[in-house]
């Protein structure tokens, strides 16, 4: 009907009617875009034909704080962040330096991406932020991301340091796995052919209560290091003795260590392959071979270590290298079991 009316009028009025129809179409599209935005985020709704806000709207339970920054313009959406979906309904996003070059643009892309991920039904977002993209972190924190863990550059020189942040999107309680909080310690109970045990005095002890007392050599395992190999390395570094692992003698599981971590401490019984001692090392101020009986009774031997030394003749969990039926790992690994022979 409007088209017929326009044709009947003079060319000037027809031009005016056509322009008005285009404007009406533009306004309708703008309001549709605003309605779609409001379904997942509170915003300030504006009438394109007015100079002042018409109304404030927000989903039930949400504050109207910072509403204006969530206003969606009628222009093109900011490009979404790209990620890799996982089998649990999550999405992992690997940022790079270009993503954080303009923090304001990144914030817009983040808002667009969060809306899209919600519409897809994503349960959680894992955001990997390398040191070079650290400028993105304030926006992530503002939008509800929280720290999962961080690693220094030295942990992976190929990729550098990074922080991993997460955002839970599902309606049910957050069930994302926490970052591992247990360190692995090793001690080497090294015996020689004379029935002696290898002991050391630390240069700097963990506490004044045990400073200057004798203990078995040991320390923390490095990332990706097997328990028996870590024990052999620690024994050599602290005493200069080469030793071969027989098996795990005992395991201590303790909590409340530095930075809130727990501790799994594996004592490995070992056979000395050399007996010459280093007079001093970076970590030991004294090293000695001591008869087993004297070590168990000595007042200058740490009580914690005397308890371990008293177990010296007990059965072991022997190391067995192989795949051991695993369909997940792609390399051999150690399975420790109380048997001498075990098929790989």
């Amino acid at each position: 009907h409007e088209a017929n009316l326009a044709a009947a009028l003079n060319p000037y009025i027809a031009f005016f009617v056509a322009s008005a129809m285009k404007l009406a179409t533009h306004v309708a599209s703008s309001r549709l875009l605003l309605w779609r935005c409001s379904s997942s985020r509170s915003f300030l709704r504006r009438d394109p034909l007015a100079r002042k806000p018409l109304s404030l709207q927000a989903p039930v339970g949400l504050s109207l704080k910072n509403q204006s920054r969530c206003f969606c313009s009628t222009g093109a959406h900011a490009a979404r962040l790209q990620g890799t979906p996982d089998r649990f309904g999550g999405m992992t996003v690997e940022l790079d330096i270009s993503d954080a070059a303009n923090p304001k643009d990144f914030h817009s892309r983040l808002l667009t991406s969060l809306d899209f991920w919600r519409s897809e039904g994503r349960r959680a977002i894992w955001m990997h932020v390398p040191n070079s993209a650290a400028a993105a972190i304030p926006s992530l924190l503002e939008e509800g991301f929280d720290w999962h863990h961080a690693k220094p550059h030295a942990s992976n020189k190929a990729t550098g340091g990074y922080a991993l942040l997460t955002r839970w999107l599902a309606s049910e309680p957050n069930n994302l796995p926490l970052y591992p909080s247990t360190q692995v310690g090793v001690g080497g109970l090294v015996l020689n052919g004379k029935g002696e045990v290898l002991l050391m005095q630390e240069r700097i002890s963990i506490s004044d209560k045990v400073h200057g007392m004798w203990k078995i050599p040991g320390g923390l395992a490095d990332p990706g290091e097997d328990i028996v190999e870590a024990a052999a390395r620690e024994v050599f570094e602290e005493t200069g003795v080469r030793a071969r692992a027989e098996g795990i003698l005992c395991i201590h599981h303790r909590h409340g260590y530095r930075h809130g971590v727990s501790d799994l401490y594996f004592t490995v019984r070992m056979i000395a392959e050399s007996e010459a001692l280093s007079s001093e090392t970076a970590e030991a101020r004294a090293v000695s071979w001591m008869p087993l009986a004297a070590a168990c009774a000595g007042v200058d031997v740490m009580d914690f270590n005397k308890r371990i030394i008293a177990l010296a003749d007990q059965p072991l969990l022997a190391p067995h290298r192989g795949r051991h039926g695993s369909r997940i790992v792609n390399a051999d690994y150690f399975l420790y079991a109380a048997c001498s022979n075990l098929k790989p």
Side-chain angles (χ1 to χ4, degrees):
H1 176 73
E2 290 177 349
N4 293 334
L5 178 61
L9 299 175
N10 63 50
Y12 298 101
I13 297 178
F15 175 78
F16 174 79
V17 172
S19 299
M21 292 173 63
K22 290 182 179 179
L23 179 59
T25 302
H26 177 73
V27 171
S29 298
S30 300
R31 287 180 171 173
L32 176 61
L33 178 60
L34 291 173
W35 177 81
R36 293 180 62 186
C37 179
S38 69
S39 65
S40 58
R41 178 174 295 281
S42 58
F43 71 105
L44 181 62
R45 181 168 164 260
R46 297 181 183 271
D47 188 334
L49 299 180
R51 295 181 178 274
K52 61 181 181 179
L54 286 180
S55 63
L56 287 173
Q57 295 181 346
V60 176
L62 294 182
S63 169
L64 292 176
K65 181 181 179 182
N66 295 329
Q67 297 297 314
S68 58
R69 71 175 178 80
C70 298
F71 171 69
C72 297
S73 70
T74 59
H77 278 297
R80 291 197 305 269
L81 299 170
Q82 300 301 308
T84 303
D86 61 46
R87 63 190 298 114
F88 302 104
M91 177 73 73
T92 299
V93 180
E94 303 268 352
L95 298 184
D96 60 33
I97 189 171
S98 64
D99 291 313
N102 186 322
K104 185 176 180 181
D105 287 349
F106 173 77
H107 203 150
S108 296
R109 296 179 64 196
L110 179 62
L111 295 177
T112 299
S113 301
L114 286 170
D115 286 342
F116 178 76
W117 291 326
R118 287 190 185 94
S119 70
E120 277 195 324
R122 292 292 165 194
R123 297 169 56 80
I125 308 300
W126 302 81
M127 193 72 65
H128 183 280
V129 186
N131 290 354
S132 60
I137 290 178
S139 291
L140 294 170
L141 295 177
E142 184 175 344
E143 294 307 321
F145 281 79
D146 202 356
W147 305 99
H148 188 264
H149 71 275
K151 287 290 188 73
H153 177 79
S155 66
N156 191 330
K157 295 182 179 180
T159 60
Y162 71 90
L164 186 68
L165 292 84
T166 63
R167 178 71 160 86
W168 183 252
L169 300 180
S171 58
E172 62 266 24
N174 187 341
N175 62 3
L176 288 176
L178 299 176
Y179 189 68
S181 58
T182 299
Q183 65 185 17
V184 175
V186 294
L189 183 67
V190 184
L191 305 174
N192 63 15
K194 303 174 186 176
E196 297 172 322
V197 60
L198 179 63
L199 298 177
M200 60 168 284
Q201 291 178 343
E202 290 180 311
R203 189 174 297 278
I204 302 176
S205 299
I206 192 171
S207 168
D208 289 339
K209 296 178 180 179
V210 295
H211 186 68
M213 301 188 74
W214 294 99
K215 65 180 288 292
I216 63 176
L220 293 177
D222 291 335
E225 189 176 32
D226 292 312
I227 293 170
V228 291
E229 295 172 353
R233 174 184 55 77
E234 286 287 344
V235 166
F236 178 73
E237 290 177 355
E238 295 182 346
T239 69
V241 172
R242 297 287 186 183
R244 173 178 54 83
E246 290 186 290
I248 294 176
L249 179 63
C250 61
I251 304 168
H252 287 81
H253 191 195
R254 303 171 288 185
H255 307 285
Y257 274 64
R258 188 170 53 178
H259 309 306
V261 303
S262 298
D263 178 71
L264 278 171
Y265 185 82
F266 296 83
T267 300
V268 180
R269 196 175 76 188
M270 312 182 79
I271 298 297
E273 295 184 331
S274 68
E275 295 189 28
L277 304 175
S278 296
S279 56
E280 282 191 356
T281 66
E283 298 183 50
R285 69 175 189 175
V287 182
S288 177
W289 290 103
M290 187 179 295
L292 275 172
C296 288
V299 295
D300 55 350
V301 178
M302 290 174 56
D303 290 337
F304 174 79
N305 283 255
K306 286 195 286 188
R307 176 64 61 90
I308 295 172
I309 295 169
L311 300 173
D313 61 349
Q314 296 301 307
L316 304 174
L317 294 175
H320 303 275
R321 180 177 286 277
R323 298 293 178 90
H324 306 294
S326 175
R327 297 185 179 183
I328 299 176
V329 297
N330 295 318
D332 290 349
Y333 64 94
F334 280 112
L335 186 154
Y336 296 88
C339 58
S340 57
N341 295 308
L342 187 67
K343 292 183 179 180

